[in-house]
Amino acid sequence: MRISIKLKFSIFLAFLLLLTVFILSLLVLEGIKKNQTAQLERYFAQQAATANIYLLQSLMEESRKVPHTFLAAKGRDFAKRLELITGQSVVLYDQYGAVLSSNPGLTASDGIRKTLDLALRDKTAYLIENDSLYYFAPLRVGSGQVGVVRFYDSLADDQAFHDRIRQLFITIGASVFILSFILAYFYFNSFASGIMKLNGMVDQIRAGNLAPAVLRRKDEIGALSEGIRMMSRQIMKTMQDKDQEREKLALAVRKLSQLDQQQKQFIGNVTHEFKTPLTSIKSYLDLLEMYPDDDQLLETAKTNILGDTQRLYEMVEKVLQLSALEKYEFEFHKEKLDVRQQMRTVLDSLQGKMDKFGITAETELAEAYVEADKELLSIVLVNLLDNAIKYNKPRGRIFVKTALTDGRVVMEIADTGIGIPKEVSHKIFDPFYTVDRNRSREIGGTGLGLSLAKKYTESQGGSIALVHTDSAGTLFRLVFPAYGEPVS
């Protein structure tokens, strides 16, 4: 069942006004009560001070100025004189809680006994029971407590005043509520009527009338009416733009066709790269079949077949990695990684290869963290460092640096190798591209390492770039958002 917006406005308005009147009266009544309590506390604090001063004066008049003896002997008379001075009902206790003077009209309830215990520990305390206030204050002589004085006062007048104010709030609040509700109802009714007219405009658009009348109002409802009219015009324009959308769809189809061509080209490259080492292996096997007794040919064939087999294995492994990257991006497991520790781990894993070629690694590793897949980041670093070793000069050096700059983690890997010709440097991230194919076959390069490094880096929100290359060496730079920074 649909409820009219006018009824909803009326119910909400009534609730809001009632809540306002209730909270306002509650706050005022609570403020009056706190004010009454504060006045009573100040009043009885003055009475307690008067009692202590009067006790000292009474002691000074005695020949034996012993407070305990004085209270035990003349406590009743002292209490009566104190009642005359303060105008309050007084009960006097010694330091052990024994009553030295009593008022038959007051009884010692559990609350009174507990409050007395606090006062006996040299603390001021009071208790409100029904319409009565019991105020306990320690009696002191010098720095020591010698007893407790209790004052009594009736709160009936204060309660009656509080009740009168509450009744006044009920009467005035009811009047204000009725008057405010009537005035606000007519005011909000104009807004409800405007919203109902807007609903009528929407019904017209639903029925096919895309040019409904606009409400002449200089407020948000009028602006909304104009917005609905503009929206209907936009719907008309959208219907007219269907042909353009068809052209965009055709463009998307063409792009898909281009991607298909790229895929076929990739497969062709893979086939060609696989064919070269397979042809070499087959040639050596044919030679061995023709000259089975040639020991030198056997050793040469074993060495070359082993190298080509290793190259085939690396190509298959990296092609599978490329395929997995295209297909399984949702399986990345990102976590907080210590870049410094990750770099050290990769360097340790390649230490044997560096020793084999006499390569020395120099590091400058600053503490930095990124959010990335640990395995993929390791593959990126291994490929870059492996190239820095393979394409380095004998007894060359590798420079590794990590730094945290402006919310970014920068990793640089440089070598003292043969460098990359500038005219082909823009191709080094293409799959299967190698600068020197003979050297690549000699050292086992597949042309896939940098392509993998680029794809894995960008898939983790980072970037990779060839910063510098010449005959003195090459410098690659990786940049990732620091851990906790948004990925741009």
Side-chain angles (χ1 to χ4, degrees):
M1 180 180 66
R2 188 170 65 177
I3 302 176
S4 170
I5 193 170
K6 290 185 177 181
L7 179 59
K8 290 182 178 179
F9 269 169
S10 300
I11 294 173
F12 175 74
L13 181 60
F15 172 76
L16 184 62
L17 288 172
L18 284 173
L19 182 63
T20 302
V21 172
F22 174 75
I23 293 177
L24 181 61
S25 60
L26 192 65
L27 291 175
V28 172
L29 290 173
E30 185 65 23
I32 292 173
K33 187 175 181 180
K34 288 183 178 179
N35 184 60
Q36 290 175 336
T37 302
Q39 289 180 349
L40 285 172
E41 287 179 352
R42 288 195 297 270
Y43 172 74
F44 281 110
Q46 293 175 355
Q47 299 290 53
T50 300
N52 275 279
I53 293 172
Y54 185 60
L55 175 61
L56 288 175
Q57 291 176 348
S58 300
L59 280 174
M60 296 302 295
E61 295 174 358
E62 297 293 322
S63 57
R64 295 183 61 190
K65 298 178 176 55
V66 180
H68 304 294
T69 304
F70 171 76
L71 290 176
K74 299 182 179 182
R76 186 181 299 272
D77 293 336
F78 176 77
K80 289 180 179 180
R81 292 197 303 271
L82 190 58
E83 286 181 348
L84 294 175
I85 294 172
T86 61
Q88 298 290 329
S89 176
V90 173
V91 176
L92 202 62
Y93 301 89
D94 64 13
Q95 62 179 340
Y96 304 107
V99 179
L100 300 176
S101 66
S102 62
N103 189 329
L106 300 177
T107 58
S109 63
D110 290 338
I112 290 176
R113 285 192 292 270
K114 292 179 181 178
T115 311
L116 175 61
D117 289 340
L118 289 175
L120 290 172
R121 293 197 292 272
D122 202 21
K123 295 180 181 179
T124 300
Y126 67 88
L127 170 69
I128 296 177
E129 287 187 345
N130 299 324
D131 293 336
S132 300
L133 171 67
Y134 303 95
Y135 190 91
F136 294 79
L139 287 173
R140 302 184 185 89
V141 175
S143 60
Q145 182 179 1
V146 298
V148 172
V149 60
R150 186 185 83 188
F151 297 100
Y152 164 81
D153 190 28
S154 174
L155 301 178
D157 292 340
D158 291 341
Q159 186 62 42
F161 174 75
H162 188 272
D163 293 340
R164 286 195 302 271
I165 295 296
R166 181 172 57 189
Q167 186 61 39
L168 185 61
F169 262 104
I170 292 174
T171 303
I172 296 176
S175 302
V176 171
F177 167 74
I178 294 172
L179 180 61
S180 300
F181 179 79
I182 294 173
L183 294 175
Y185 175 80
F186 287 107
Y187 178 72
F188 283 110
N189 183 60
S190 64
F191 290 96
S193 299
I195 293 173
M196 294 177 69
K197 290 179 181 179
L198 288 177
N199 187 55
M201 291 177 61
V202 174
D203 289 338
Q204 292 181 38
I205 295 174
R206 188 183 294 115
N209 179 15
L210 298 180
V214 179
L215 298 182
R216 302 301 178 184
R217 295 177 60 109
K218 295 182 179 180
D219 56 12
E220 286 78 3
I221 294 179
L224 181 58
S225 173
E226 178 65 23
I228 292 176
R229 185 174 68 87
M230 296 299 295
M231 182 181 65
S232 64
R233 289 185 177 181
Q234 186 63 36
I235 292 174
M236 294 176 63
K237 185 177 182 300
T238 302
M239 295 174 64
Q240 295 170 355
D241 291 342
K242 284 185 178 179
D243 291 338
Q244 296 180 6
E245 294 300 324
R246 291 194 187 96
E247 292 180 2
K248 292 180 181 179
L249 181 60
L251 178 61
V253 172
R254 289 196 296 272
K255 288 184 177 180
L256 286 174
S257 177
Q258 292 175 1
L259 290 174
D260 182 61
Q261 291 296 326
Q262 292 175 2
Q263 183 181 21
K264 290 180 180 179
Q265 182 180 1
F266 176 78
I267 294 174
N269 290 338
V270 171
T271 303
H272 175 76
E273 292 296 327
F274 280 8
K275 184 177 179 181
T276 301
L278 286 174
T279 300
S280 175
I281 293 172
K282 185 175 183 304
S283 298
Y284 276 110
L285 291 176
D286 290 341
L287 287 172
L288 288 174
E289 186 176 359
M290 295 172 60
Y291 306 103
D293 298 328
D294 191 332
D295 294 335
Q296 184 178 357
L297 175 61
L298 178 61
E299 290 299 322
T300 303
K302 285 170 60 178
T303 301
N304 285 279
I305 289 174
L306 180 61
D308 287 333
T309 302
Q310 180 63 28
R311 184 162 177 261
L312 276 172
Y313 175 81
E314 291 182 3
M315 282 195 293
V316 169
E317 185 180 49
K318 292 188 176 181
V319 166
L320 289 175
Q321 291 177 357
L322 279 172
S323 176
L325 179 64
E326 298 288 343
K327 190 175 181 181
Y328 301 117
E329 289 186 358
F330 60 89
E331 292 187 353
F332 294 159
H333 300 290
K334 289 188 175 183
E335 58 183 303
K336 181 181 179 182
L337 297 178
D338 186 341
V339 172
R340 180 170 55 182
Q341 182 61 39
Q342 196 80 357
M343 188 72 76
R344 287 172 176 168
T345 301
V346 173
L347 285 171
D348 290 343
S349 68
L350 295 173
Q351 187 62 50
K353 196 168 187 177
M354 287 190 288
D355 293 342
K356 177 181 177 181
F357 293 99
I359 305 298
T360 303
E362 299 180 10
T363 61
E364 183 181 340
L365 306 179
E367 182 178 7
Y369 297 89
V370 298
E371 185 177 17
D373 185 292
K374 183 177 182 180
E375 181 179 352
L376 298 189
L377 183 58
S378 294
I379 291 174
V380 172
L381 297 178
V382 166
N383 278 316
L384 290 176
L385 288 168
D386 187 57
N387 282 350
I389 296 171
K390 290 190 296 187
Y391 296 102
N392 213 323
K393 296 175 183 177
R395 291 181 298 280
R397 290 176 295 169
I398 297 174
F399 304 93
V400 180
K401 179 181 178 181
T402 64
L404 179 62
T405 306
D406 297 331
R408 300 184 304 164
V409 176
V410 180
M411 292 172 272
E412 294 183 347
I413 298 175
D415 60 53
T416 57
I418 59 177
I420 301 171
K422 291 184 178 180
E423 62 271 14
V424 298
S425 60
H426 63 283
K427 298 181 180 180
I428 59 173
F429 293 108
D430 295 341
F432 298 108
Y433 181 80
T434 54
V435 177
D436 186 342
R437 291 186 176 273
N438 292 330
R439 180 175 173 87
S440 296
R441 291 193 180 98
E442 179 183 346
I443 62 178
T446 65
L448 287 173
L450 290 178
S451 176
L452 277 173
K454 180 178 177 62
K455 286 181 177 290
Y456 282 157
T457 299
E458 293 177 350
S459 70
Q460 302 299 300
S463 63
I464 182 172
L466 173 61
V467 179
H468 171 77
T469 182
D470 54 23
S471 59
T474 303
L475 169 63
F476 282 93
R477 177 179 295 152
L478 294 167
V479 179
F480 286 88
Y483 181 79
E485 297 289 334
V487 179
S488 58

